[in-house]
Amino acid sequence: MQVPNQHRQHFIGGAWRDPVAGRYRPAKSPGTGDTIGEVAEGERQDAALAIEAAKSGHEALSQMTRWQRADLCHRVADSIETQKDYLAYILALEQGKPLKSEAYGEIEAAATGFREAAELFKFMNGDFIPAETPGKRVISFRVPRGIYAVVTPWNFPINIPVEYLAPCLAAGNAVVWAPAPTTSLCASALMQCIADAGVPDGAVNLVHGPGAVVGDELVVNPDTHGIGFTGSPVTGAKIAQRGAGKPMLLELGGNGPVIVLDDADIERAARAAADGAFINAGQVCAATGRVLCTRTTYDELAQRITAAAQELVLGDPLQPATTVGPLNNHAVIEKVEAHVADGLARGGTLLAGGCRKPELGSDLYYAPTVMADLGEDADLNRAETFGPVAPIIVCRDEEEILRVANAAGHGLAAGVFSRDLAKAFRFAERVGAGLVNINGPSHYWELHIPFGGAPGKQSGLGRLGGRHTLHAVTEIKTISYDLG
Ligand code: NAD
């Protein structure tokens, strides 16, 4: 597929609109460095206009029954499915993930997200609450909060927004959405699908621009009533302060340990660790951030993960044979390089990769990397790398594995491998992560499964997924009636 260079405006009040200041910035492809379009560079005033437009959007959604809003969500899903080739193409072109092995899957999940939210909210019943007072009858039921501020990252630029947009629409919230600037074309393509489905004017609005400007306006503006944010812990902390008092879902970073206990099926554990480290070039919040094992399993594990890394095809995301694309932007590749350099400085050994591959088309290609001989003080163990690196940390025994796993500041997702299910289950109960997958990769998740950070960690607040998001974006309304 070839598409002409794009010119993308904001979508406000049911129409594509130029930014108030008239400024645009170039959109780039990470695979080639080429300019592939231009995108509106919004300011606070653009975000404020979108919030104003969302008021009538919310009013229109409120007049619709749950069944009508569910139909609307299904029409959005139909529209995504009709446009899937274009969406997958733009996702590979602008985000950098491999078209064949990953981009189509993200588009399918986006359509499913709208269908699941539609059906789940239809059947989310309220309560009839017995009252002590004679003659009183009390019911409670879920109502939308009003206007949602949604701010999303670039690693899954279609699917992560859908995790908020679909439940918001199904439940009757209008949305003003600020996507990550480096995937603005993806956001515009999804917005077009939503518009084509016939959403009421103002029900979903898209404002491009720097997060610290347009995203911040959405967060602080008194006319937004809830916040859905996925991104880094640093930005999440700012949003928690700036939006204090508003209900918020914060889905933040991870540094998922893949924990290999001594009796594990090593082949299976190695495959899961490699999948989790290299999928989406490691730019996954639930990625394999580190592999923790003892000397007993290390040799075979390291050999198998290294072999898996060497089998991958790094290259142009649009080519069908490619299994790992470029990183999305310069900030992320610089962090990967810094973490690998820190590992080497601390005595780490490279078993695979460890360098950029600019000959592949741009300076954003980074070879799938495996590093061993690391201590727990390495940045690769302590912090989120968000790139294609599998660091292996050897611990004295399984108790030390648990201590190292839990010492990190993040606590989003983990994998635990053992042939002894009871042992693995007890271990999983003690791992400080919101989601622990036994004998599966740290990034296993389905749209309806609760997902979020563990208590006391910097991985977020609240739970995404199916009915959990629907609960988060609604409030309970109670009505009592006196029969006299
Ligand atoms: P980021 O925090 O830099 O940016 C995320 C979004 O916030 C972007 O749209 C950005 O424009 C916006 N933003 C930036 N500053 C802002 C501000 N002051 N106010 C409001 N909005 C602002 O994160 P990123 O680098 O785009 O994404 C990577 C991070 O996201 C990683 O830490 C990753 O783990 C996390 N993530 C978490 C999940 C999850 O479900 N927990 C999923 C995907 C990514």
Side-chain angles (χ1 to χ4, degrees):
M1 179 180 284
Q2 281 291 332
V3 292
N5 268 11
Q6 308 203 3
H7 171 79
R8 287 302 197 171
Q9 300 161 290
H10 303 309
F11 189 80
I12 297 178
W16 294 100
R17 291 179 197 278
D18 279 325
V20 170
R23 288 196 299 128
Y24 282 79
R25 60 162 188 83
K28 301 270 185 188
S29 166
T32 58
D34 291 345
T35 297
I36 51 176
E38 59 173 11
V39 181
E41 184 76 332
E43 299 186 6
R44 282 187 187 273
Q45 212 184 332
D46 298 281
L49 284 172
I51 294 168
E52 202 50 41
K55 291 179 183 170
S56 52
H58 177 235
E59 186 53 36
L61 289 172
S62 308
Q63 304 297 322
M64 296 167 71
T65 66
R66 290 185 184 203
W67 265 253
Q68 288 170 323
R69 292 198 302 265
D71 284 348
L72 182 58
C73 287
H74 283 297
R75 290 204 302 278
V76 176
D78 293 343
S79 167
I80 290 171
E81 283 161 358
T82 307
Q83 289 293 320
K84 70 176 191 303
D85 291 329
Y86 170 68
L87 288 165
Y89 174 83
I90 205 78
L91 180 56
L93 185 71
E94 191 193 32
Q95 197 281 335
K97 67 187 62 191
L99 178 66
K100 185 153 175 256
S101 60
E102 295 187 28
Y104 274 101
E106 182 168 342
I107 306 307
E108 278 165 29
T112 305
F114 274 97
R115 296 200 192 285
E116 285 191 3
E119 292 308 307
L120 280 171
F121 196 65
K122 263 198 235 174
F123 301 109
M124 199 170 268
N125 294 335
D127 278 330
F128 179 84
I129 303 165
E132 187 181 358
T133 311
K136 288 283 187 193
R137 302 290 183 268
V138 185
I139 57 166
S140 70
F141 51 95
R142 295 221 154 247
V143 292
R145 295 186 187 277
I147 298 174
Y148 247 79
V150 172
V151 181
T152 54
W154 44 263
N155 60 333
F156 291 90
I158 302 285
N159 203 19
I160 288 176
V162 170
E163 289 165 11
Y164 298 106
L165 299 181
C168 278
L169 261 192
N173 291 295
V175 172
V176 187
W177 169 30
T182 59
T183 47
S184 303
L185 302 184
C186 293
S188 302
L190 176 62
M191 187 68 242
Q192 185 68 61
C193 293
I194 297 170
D196 290 348
V199 288
D201 291 352
V204 181
N205 306 275
L206 172 69
V207 186
H208 296 294
V213 179
V214 295
D216 184 69
E217 180 61 31
L218 302 187
V219 166
V220 298
N221 192 301
D223 287 332
T224 61
H225 311 111
I227 299 166
F229 172 73
T230 300
S232 64
V234 171
T235 309
K238 282 185 198 155
I239 287 179
Q241 279 189 332
R242 300 280 290 160
K246 296 185 186 185
M248 56 182 83
L249 266 172
L250 300 177
E251 295 294 329
L252 310 180
N255 182 16
V258 168
I259 293 166
V260 185
L261 301 181
D262 288 351
D263 64 343
D265 176 338
I266 305 301
E267 202 256 317
R268 191 171 171 185
R271 200 171 349 106
D275 283 355
F278 304 126
I279 189 169
N280 203 19
Q283 302 160 115
V284 181
C285 55
T288 306
R290 55 230 167 99
V291 181
L292 306 180
C293 64
T294 71
R295 276 279 154 224
T296 307
T297 58
Y298 169 75
D299 286 338
E300 185 182 351
L301 195 57
Q303 179 263 317
R304 286 184 182 276
I305 295 175
T306 304
Q310 286 164 343
E311 274 169 21
L312 294 165
V313 181
L314 177 68
D316 178 353
L318 298 171
Q319 290 303 318
T322 296
T323 52
V324 182
L327 292 172
N328 175 259
N329 58 67
H330 288 97
V332 72
I333 200 166
E334 281 158 18
K335 187 170 170 199
V336 171
E337 279 187 325
H339 281 195
V340 169
D342 171 82
L344 288 171
R346 290 174 193 275
T349 309
L350 281 170
L351 304 181
C355 58
R356 296 193 196 208
K357 293 278 179 189
E359 65 276 20
L360 293 174
S362 80
D363 58 354
L364 290 172
Y365 290 90
Y366 198 87
T369 297
V370 183
M371 194 181 250
D373 301 320
L374 291 165
E376 65 177 293
D377 54 347
D379 286 348
L380 284 166
N381 175 57
R382 291 185 307 110
E384 182 183 47
T385 301
F386 222 56
V389 186
I392 307 175
I393 291 120
V394 175
C395 300
R396 202 175 42 250
D397 53 27
E398 293 177 356
E399 275 308 302
E400 191 179 71
I401 289 183
L402 187 69
R403 187 187 59 71
V404 172
N406 287 347
H410 299 94
L412 195 57
V416 175
F417 285 82
S418 167
R419 287 193 169 91
D420 179 341
L421 184 57
K423 178 176 154 188
F425 207 97
R426 290 204 179 91
F427 209 91
E429 287 175 339
R430 296 164 71 201
V431 172
L435 171 66
V436 183
N437 295 313
I438 294 175
N439 292 334
S442 57
H443 66 282
Y444 163 75
W445 180 63
E446 297 181 23
L447 293 172
H448 59 286
I449 294 175
F451 188 80
K457 298 288 185 182
Q458 298 155 22
S459 291
L461 191 67
R463 288 291 177 272
L464 268 183
R467 67 188 164 86
H468 304 279
T469 324
L470 286 162
H471 280 162
V473 301
T474 53
E475 194 48 272
I476 292 176
K477 170 113 179 182
T478 304
I479 297 180
S480 79
Y481 188 77
D482 197 326
L483 299 181

